Amino acid sequence: MLPEALARQIITDHERHPRGKGAIEGAPHVALDNPGCGDHVTVWVRVEAGRLAEVCFTGRGCAISQASASLMTGALRGKGLEEARALATRYRAMVMGEGPADPVLGDLVALAGVSRLHARRKCALLAWNALEAALAED
Ligand code: ZN
């Protein structure tokens, strides 16, 4: 687990300077809302030869929802589909408080503290739920 100050710094940085923000023309995408918090995220995926060639998002909402989407695009770009799904499973377990902040998650471990904030878990999972739905569409 990262020190809290460092975790907050990573989240703030991704909220203010989101990575992977934008749409991918003609690619599968899924939009999801988290009405409890007012978050909205659309995730776009471009799969090529069994890999996530590109992952992008658009959206607005709280820092956790937007930072988790930004971190997700960086963690998944270039990954094989199985590896991406395994990462999603590990991330989900961490956020739900059912698994460790596995180092394989990289900077995503900055969101480990969300597991203690039950109401915010949906914020941290929104982009990932959209991603999994978009992959199912592809
Ligand atoms: Zn939120």
Side-chain angles (χ1 to χ4, degrees), residues 57-74:
F57 82 102
T58 57
R60 58 184 186 280
C62 72
I64 290 174
S65 70
Q66 302 305 302
S68 63
S70 171
L71 282 156
M72 180 186 80
T73 66

Side-chain angles (χ1 to χ4, degrees), residues 2 6 10 14 19 22 25 29 37 42 44 47-48 52-53 58 78 90 93 97-98 102 118 122 127 133 136:
L2 291 178
L6 178 56
I10 291 171
H14 276 264
R19 276 60 139 192
E25 198 71 36
H29 57 282
C37 184
T42 305
W44 311 70
V47 177
E48 266 179 25
L52 285 169
T58 57
R90 282 211 171 83
E98 294 162 357
D102 195 314
H118 287 223
K122 284 185 183 161

Side-chain angles (χ1 to χ4, degrees), residues 44-116:
W44 311 70
V45 292
R46 191 164 61 81
V47 177
E48 266 179 25
R51 302 196 92 75
L52 285 169
E54 232 179 317
V55 184
C56 290
F57 82 102
T58 57
R60 58 184 186 280
C62 72
I64 290 174
S65 70
Q66 302 305 302
S68 63
S70 171
L71 282 156
M72 180 186 80
T73 66
L76 294 181
R77 191 170 302 117
K79 292 274 193 302
L81 287 178
E82 281 202 9
E83 198 182 347
R85 290 203 171 94
L87 212 58
T89 301
R90 282 211 171 83
Y91 174 78
R92 197 177 290 278
M94 177 187 81
V95 168
M96 297 306 289
E98 294 162 357
D102 195 314
V104 77
L105 289 166
D107 277 354
L108 286 165
V109 300
L111 291 153
V114 174
S115 67
R116 297 190 304 272

Side-chain angles (χ1 to χ4, degrees), residues 27-44:
H29 57 282
V30 167
L32 288 180
D33 288 305
N34 177 22
C37 184
D39 307 321
H40 177 83
V41 168
T42 305
V43 172
W44 311 70

